[in-house]
Amino acid sequence: NSNNPSTHTGNDLPVHNVSWDDCQLFIEKLNLMTGLNFRMPTEAEWEYAARGGVKSRGYKYAGSDNIDEVAWYKENAAGKPHTFATKQPNELGIYDMSGNVFEWCYDWYGLYSVEAQVDPQGPESGPYRVFRGGGWKHVSSSRVAYRRTTGANLDQTSIGIRLVLDERPMPPSTPEYVDL
């Protein structure tokens, strides 16, 4: 496809080489086309999903302590992304969260708070956006806890997107009419 910005293309390869801003335009068009409400995950949502949610076993990578079981990364990827879902999934059945391509999060980058929080939100503005996961060019950044940042409008060769589908609000119910 001529609209695919990826340096490596194929129907079963993840799209990459996209900026945060490019992803927002894609999401806007996708939502208009489908009538659904897709969005990027917040950083907290991304990490919760990568860690395995309530089924978490505390792994270093998304689904294992052995990176080779769950990720395409510098040592096994031969310098390119691979077919998605060819490594084992994490505890929630989600594939490729520790490797293949990094994934943009919605949040601006900010320091973590020292107190415990439930579903923390990032800062309202800033110079950098957050991306998480791991890419075919990297090793250390494949850990679930690893955070990376860059400018929102910069294309990054090994960054892609994972979408969240928010539940659509139910249409208003038809009111009951009473004959008077």
Side-chain angles (χ1 to χ4, degrees):
N1 181 330
S2 62
N3 294 327
N4 188 339
S6 303
T7 54
H8 304 275
T9 59
N11 290 338
D12 57 353
L13 294 177
V15 173
H16 57 280
N17 199 30
V18 292
S19 70
W20 189 94
D21 291 338
D22 291 338
C23 293
Q24 293 305 305
L25 291 172
F26 170 77
I27 291 169
E28 186 177 315
K29 289 178 183 180
L30 180 64
N31 287 344
L32 285 172
M33 277 180 28
T34 64
L36 299 174
N37 187 21
F38 289 98
R39 63 178 175 80
M40 287 181 185
T42 65
E43 188 178 9
E45 289 170 330
W46 187 96
E47 187 168 332
Y48 180 81
R51 288 187 180 279
V54 296
K55 298 179 179 183
S56 177
R57 295 188 190 125
Y59 292 130
K60 182 177 182 179
Y61 306 103
S64 179
D65 284 331
N66 180 346
I67 190 172
D68 288 308
E69 293 177 352
V70 294
W72 292 108
Y73 67 106
K74 186 176 183 175
E75 301 303 321
N76 69 1
K80 63 183 183 180
H82 288 263
T83 301
F84 53 83
T86 53
K87 295 289 187 174
Q88 83 182 30
N90 73 359
E91 298 93 327
L92 297 176
I94 304 172
Y95 292 88
D96 298 330
M97 293 195 81
S98 282
N100 218 6
V101 297
F102 288 103
E103 299 170 358
W104 284 111
C105 294
Y106 183 76
D107 301 315
W108 291 100
Y109 176 77
L111 298 176
Y112 284 155
S113 172
V114 293
E115 59 266 353
Q117 297 181 23
V118 175
D119 197 19
Q121 303 299 307
E124 292 189 25
S125 64
Y128 301 109
R129 292 287 185 176
V130 176
F131 59 99
R132 300 291 296 265
W136 74 85
K137 298 179 183 181
H138 306 275
V139 178
S140 64
S141 51
S142 296
R143 291 179 296 110
V144 171
Y146 197 83
R147 306 170 76 205
R148 294 188 65 138
T149 66
T150 191
N153 63 347
L154 299 176
D155 289 332
Q156 298 291 322
T157 57
S158 59
I159 305 178
I161 185 173
R162 181 179 300 268
L163 298 176
V164 172
L165 175 60
D166 275 340
E167 291 184 19
R168 291 176 66 184
M170 295 297 289
S173 61
T174 306
E176 293 186 75
Y177 292 95
V178 178
D179 288 324
L180 296 176

